[in-house]
Amino acid sequence: TDLFLSAPAEKAPLVIFLHGHDSSKEDHTYQAMHLASWGMHSLTLQLPNNGPWVGNGKTLAKIVNFIYRWPEIIDNRIDLNKIILVGHSFGGSAVAVALAEGAPAAGVVLLDPAAIGRDLPVFLRKINAPVMLIGADEHISSARNRGYFYRFIRGGVAEVSIKDATHEDA
C-alpha cells in the first residue's frame, strides 16, 4: 500500500484505490496525492493484477473491515463513516465484490469498470450503497461487460461518461 494523509487535524474520509488488470497501485498515485491535498486521506493498494478479481474483492473487504476495526493502524483522523472504495477496470469488479461482501464503505466509485466471471451478478445484486460510474467514451473504448453494473446493482448507478476518454484514461 501507499498512504497519503491530509494535513488538517480534523477527521476526514478515507478513499481506497484498487488498480485494474496488468496495472498497479502506482497508476493511482497522482489521484491519491491529489485527494490528500484536498483534505481526504487516501490509500492505494496492490493486489494481484491478473485476478482473480472476486478473490481480490474478498481480500479488499477484509482489509477495509480491518481498517474499520483498528483505524489507528493508519491514522486516528479517519472518518469511519466515510470510507470510499475506488476501482478501475477489473478493479471495479473487485471493489463491487468487496462492498457486496460487507466492506463498511459509504459507497464506491467505478472508473470505467469491467466485469468478468459468471458469479459477479450475484455480488452486484447485493450492493445497496451509492455507486458512481465514471466511464470512458463508449464510442472509443468499451470496457468488458460494463452493462453488468447497470443491470444488476439494484440501487441504481449514477454515471458520468467522458467524451473522447479511453479506458486507460481512468
Side-chain angles (χ1 to χ4, degrees):
T1 66
D2 287 328
L3 177 64
F4 303 88
L5 296 173
S6 65
E10 305 86 43
K11 287 200 178 272
L14 173 65
V15 180
I16 301 173
F17 288 90
L18 184 60
H19 59 82
H21 177 76
D22 264 349
S23 298
S24 70
K25 63 181 173 56
E26 286 79 15
D27 293 331
H28 299 285
T29 298
Y30 181 75
Q31 293 163 324
M33 288 188 312
H34 216 71
L35 288 179
S37 76
W38 291 345
M40 294 176 261
H41 309 302
S42 54
L43 183 72
T44 58
L45 293 175
Q46 181 69 46
L47 292 176
N49 66 0
N50 289 310
W53 297 104
V54 169
N56 282 354
K58 290 180 179 186
T59 298
L60 177 58
K62 290 175 187 174
I63 291 168
V64 176
N65 275 302
F66 182 81
I67 292 168
Y68 191 81
R69 281 191 217 100
W70 294 287
E72 63 275 3
I73 297 244
I74 293 179
D75 195 283
N76 284 327
R77 298 175 297 142
I78 292 173
D79 184 340
L80 295 175
N81 295 314
K82 295 180 182 171
I83 296 174
I84 306 294
L85 305 179
V86 178
H88 173 243
S89 191
F90 289 131
S93 287
V95 160
V97 168
L99 194 59
E101 287 287 291
V108 299
V109 177
L110 305 172
L111 302 174
D112 206 34
I116 192 166
R118 55 181 185 220
D119 294 339
L120 188 60
V122 173
F123 291 103
L124 296 177
R125 285 184 186 104
K126 294 180 184 179
I127 293 175
N128 193 18
V131 176
M132 168 60 85
L133 189 149
I134 300 175
D137 188 330
E138 288 184 348
H139 301 294
I140 294 176
S141 178
S142 183
R144 179 188 265 176
N145 296 318
R146 188 166 105 181
Y148 277 22
F149 297 92
Y150 304 110
R151 192 173 332 140
F152 298 112
I153 296 176
R154 57 193 164 113
V157 176
E159 177 189 2
V160 174
S161 288
I162 301 172
K163 184 176 170 63
D164 297 329
T166 69
H167 184 71
E168 289 74 27
D169 289 334

